Amino acid sequence: MKNPKAGYTLGFDFGTNSVRALLVDIRNGRELATAICRYGSGREGILLDPKNPNLARQNPADYLKGIEVAVRQTLARAKKMDRAFDPARVIGIGVDTTGSTPIPVDKDGTPLAFHKEFRRNLNAMAWLWKDHTGFAEAAEITALAAKEHPEYLAKCGGTYSSEWFFSKILHCLRIDPNVFEAAASWVECCDYIPAVLVGETRPDRLLRGRCAAGHKAMFNAQWGGLPAKDFLAKLDPKLGALRDRLYETTSTSDVPAGKLAASWAKKLGLPAAIPVAVGAFDAHLGAVGSGVFPGKFVKIVGTSTCDVCVWPSDRPLADIPGLCGIVDGSVLPGYFGLEAGQSAVGDIFNWFVECVRPGGVVQGSHAALTRGAAKLKPGQSGLLALDWNNGNRTVLVDQRLTGLLLGQTLHTEPEEIYRTLIEATAFGALTIIRRFEEYGIRIDEVINCGGIAEKNPLVMQIYADVIGKEMKVARSAQTCALGSAIAGAVAAGRAAGGYETFAEAQAAMCGVKAKTFKPDRSNGAVYGQLYRLYRQLHDGFGTKEWSGSMYNVMKDLLAIRDRQLTI
Amino acid sequence: MKNPKAGYTLGFDFGTNSVRALLVDIRNGRELATAICRYGSGREGILLDPKNPNLARQNPADYLKGIEVAVRQTLARAKKMDRAFDPARVIGIGVDTTGSTPIPVDKDGTPLAFHKEFRRNLNAMAWLWKDHTGFAEAAEITALAAKEHPEYLAKCGGTYSSEWFFSKILHCLRIDPNVFEAAASWVECCDYIPAVLVGETRPDRLLRGRCAAGHKAMFNAQWGGLPAKDFLAKLDPKLGALRDRLYETTSTSDVPAGKLAASWAKKLGLPAAIPVAVGAFDAHLGAVGSGVFPGKFVKIVGTSTCDVCVWPSDRPLADIPGLCGIVDGSVLPGYFGLEAGQSAVGDIFNWFVECVRPGGVVQGSHAALTRGAAKLKPGQSGLLALDWNNGNRTVLVDQRLTGLLLGQTLHTEPEEIYRTLIEATAFGALTIIRRFEEYGIRIDEVINCGGIAEKNPLVMQIYADVIGKEMKVARSAQTCALGSAIAGAVAAGRAAGGYETFAEAQAAMCGVKAKTFKPDRSNGAVYGQLYRLYRQLHDGFGTKEWSGSMYNVMKDLLAIRDRQLTI
């Protein structure tokens, strides 16, 4: 059957340092052209405060400029690639951003940062996802919820994070009441961008995405949307009052936030009135772009890792302890989106290479260490590590954990440590997957994407051996932007040449690379032994409940080492 | 009162790679001249087997050549320093060596290595202290002793080591019966050298030192000397038979092994017939040269650490669990010599610098890391380590333990790790000192010597702060050779211009440097908190008995870090 569809869809991916635009052929997912625009403000796009390492803000003006630059360059490149390319054939737009990245806005939806009086005030800017200034407020919210509404916490792993919506807003209220008072509302970056594109930024009218609301603002249909007004009011009466100026409903990303405003269409050189999908977070649309579906578990492996899977909304699902979030429709409409993650993966390898700087500058590069590590057998170094240099997001949900390396002798070499750090992140990944499976989530396939999945086959092979499942790698190197583009195609709908459902769009537009990584059975057996020891350390240092002896750990590692060295 | 003494004494220190001769003024310990001779055989004096990393042997011919070269050069330098110097004024000679370093000899005491048929046979050479080929035999000896003679083990910390006398001989018997059969006896290197110098090498006549016999061959008056013949015969009948060809009595180092043979006197340019003291191990005479005495605890801090103290033989002393050895007269006649140690200290710092090679080649030197580490406050890195990269000699007596580093984040820098490794060795040192004190050994002063004590004031200051005692550093940089020289002066006796007792000789010839390291009270308080956590890891990973939770460790370290960063 011939595919009658034709045309392109445009995906935006607003990252931490830059925005990417990606133009995708709607029939097959072919990526015709892409471009990025780095944000101009601050340090690599991030506004910092030398006196407060927890602070990380962004200037919303960078987003708007980025749209223009990235789209114009993408369209120019598309023309170069394909002389027949016509921008008029773009039928939809989708948007993902970092988050939770809330922006204080006035009653028209204009960021306070654009007001003259606030233009130098960091608190009037976008509060970037990794801003931790609200850590005390996060603890306060967690404590109150634990006491009065434990159900709020059950959906977000048991702890409300300093990176999230209300921690940031409450902190702003406490330290800069002028900004808080001036804000008619607060809008997540992933909702702000589509609102701008469709020309409807009024906070009482713009559509709010289910993804950000559910994962970061404790929005859930079970308790009628956002947390109860009296709950918020107990934190601060003004926060309670703000609830009325936030939102009552949310939308999934198959829904158009509206149609591209004429002014923007002109600026960008695109047809006016094409649908712009409701926005979502990068990891969630990245999972879509990787082909997430029940049974297909997506790992976005980069400096940190985000794990995403889905489960039909009409099938029973228990709260899973330790998960960052379980939100109906946050990834695919009609499915619970489940999010987990590791606080540092590539960042741990980067720490070893860039902070410890082993073996001198040249010999100690990732490439050289990977080459050395690839020559080692599992367990032959006698080393074992915990992957907690940046805390543990899933399943312990505890930022106040730290790294551990054990088993070093007088002969331990850098490549042995490097491999051990890779293995530690693999054990962390396995711990997450086991937690999902223990709670009945079936996982048939693991699809990896992100920088490390793209670049480091050793990591993928170790993950396959440790996890005992075939590791596949998403075909696209830009799964987040591809997921956004898919959302655009679904928001456009079949009538406009797009798709009726995400499943249809994914079937046509997603895929995995031919090269996959199959688990090695004998390596897997050794990793099984090492994982038991990892879990012993994990539970011993990471949980209050564990009690026992650690005497076996070093002995068992030496026994495994001795066996591996003699075979 | 004017000191009527005059003259010089000559100390030999036979190390792992070279022999040193040191000429000392008997009145005041002034070191007139010294010279070393590197052993010519093998790799830096050690004969290795590429197929067996446990093997480490030495060619006894290197010792004999070393005596000549080192003494001639020392005397030549002495003449240069002081034109009035006359070799005729040398009144005594002392010898220390590594150990246990047994040598198989024929009935005349000639090393089998000097026989044509064995000159290429590594098993006919000296079995250097760090030869571990007898590890299986060591386990066998330990197991049999635990069953039949636990009192043998009680004096050597509970485990008979692969580095020791009978493990090596039994291993030789098992793998090279030709060598075993050809050996009329086995002689410790520290007994062989004096025997050669005095011209009486016959194994049934030469004097055997108490130090080597007691610490490495389970010699003890309590059970009538060496282990019982039937005990050795159970290991192997031929080992039982060998006991008759070993020795029944031992001597302390105040006793002359004899007088310098005329042939050697001529070869060396020394007066004939001067007394040569019975030999002992380097660490024990090093302690003498540092001024060891009841209340004065000596730490020889180098690649590993040896701790030595003494206790009056006529006062009650319990067996102290975990100590390497308790031997009457092994250090000073009339006193129990107590030996403990850490398997790696400088070797751990060397591992970090030479194997991990942090921060590139130039930035990562010991000097640069020490400079960086010196700027840090205790606890501010949030790190904690165990000093077990080479196992734990005291108090756990377990070579199958490994290193541990805990608390690293994404920002942990090399100098933080370096300081943490120094602190770990300080905590290990404190654990040893506490064990001595718990068993009633009074420690008023700690006198340090060895390369690290000489070179690294930061290490000494951290030791002072952690241990809570003033750290003094021995005045001499060659305390082992100085201790040998003192033994020579005592063996010579008062009539010959020497000393009646070690105490007299030490009072005249030993001292500490003016610069000492006083404990800082506020650092000590922080280290007290860190040491509790170190002990938790130490007992948790190092003992079968410990059981409990490790959950507090990372939390407590972060709490200490946060406090240290804010004051």
Side-chain angles (χ1 to χ4, degrees), chain A residues 38-39 142 182 250 339 356 369 381 402 438 441 482 494 512:
Chain A
R38 300 197 163 272
Y39 307 141
T142 300
T250 57
E339 188 194 336
V356 181
L369 287 166
S381 69
T402 50
E438 280 158 19
I441 307 288
L482 175 60
R494 192 173 286 167
V512 295

Side-chain angles (χ1 to χ4, degrees), chain A residues 343-344 347-348 351-352 354-361 363 382 386 388-390 398-415 417 537 539-544 546-555 557-559 561-562, chain B residues 343-344 347-348 351-352 354-361 363 382 386 388-390 398-415 417 537 539-544 546-555 557-559 561-562:
Chain A
S343 304
D347 270 346
I348 296 182
W351 162 70
F352 189 58
E354 291 162 20
C355 275
V356 181
R357 304 188 295 285
V361 177
Q363 300 98 308
L386 288 173
W388 297 352
N389 291 44
N390 196 26
D398 188 348
Q399 291 311 303
R400 285 181 77 82
L401 293 171
T402 50
L404 183 152
L405 177 70
L406 182 153
Q408 50 273 40
T409 69
L410 295 176
H411 309 290
T412 299
E413 290 285 337
E415 63 268 26
I417 298 174
L537 296 178
D539 295 353
F541 285 92
T543 73
K544 283 180 198 156
W546 187 91
S547 182
S549 167
M550 287 290 175
Y551 182 70
N552 65 299
V553 177
M554 291 174 183
K555 311 293 184 195
L557 285 170
L558 289 175
R561 179 194 72 176
D562 292 347
Chain B
S343 304
D347 270 347
I348 296 182
W351 162 72
F352 190 58
E354 290 162 20
C355 276
V356 180
R357 302 188 296 283
V361 177
Q363 299 99 308
L386 288 173
W388 297 352
N389 290 45
N390 196 27
D398 187 348
Q399 292 311 303
R400 285 182 75 83
L401 293 171
T402 49
L404 184 153
L405 177 69
L406 183 153
Q408 50 271 41
T409 68
L410 296 175
H411 310 290
T412 299
E413 291 285 338
E415 63 269 26
I417 298 175
L537 296 176
D539 295 352
F541 285 92
T543 72
K544 283 180 196 155
W546 188 91
S547 182
S549 165
M550 287 288 175
Y551 181 71
N552 65 300
V553 178
M554 291 174 182
K555 311 294 184 194
L557 285 171
L558 289 175
R561 179 193 72 177
D562 293 347

Side-chain angles (χ1 to χ4, degrees), chain B residues 326-400:
Chain B
I326 304 175
V327 175
D328 191 7
S330 69
V331 179
L332 298 177
Y335 297 88
F336 289 111
L338 295 95
E339 189 195 335
Q342 291 171 265
S343 304
V345 173
D347 270 347
I348 296 182
F349 316 151
N350 288 338
W351 162 72
F352 190 58
V353 168
E354 290 162 20
C355 276
V356 180
R357 302 188 296 283
V361 177
V362 178
Q363 299 99 308
S365 70
H366 285 289
L369 287 166
T370 298
R371 272 196 304 280
K375 291 181 192 142
L376 302 169
K377 286 187 249 181
Q380 87 164 65
S381 68
L383 295 172
L384 185 63
L386 288 173
D387 50 328
W388 297 352
N389 290 45
N390 196 27
N392 179 297
R393 192 181 299 161
T394 313
V395 297
L396 298 172
V397 199
D398 187 348
Q399 292 311 303
R400 285 182 75 83

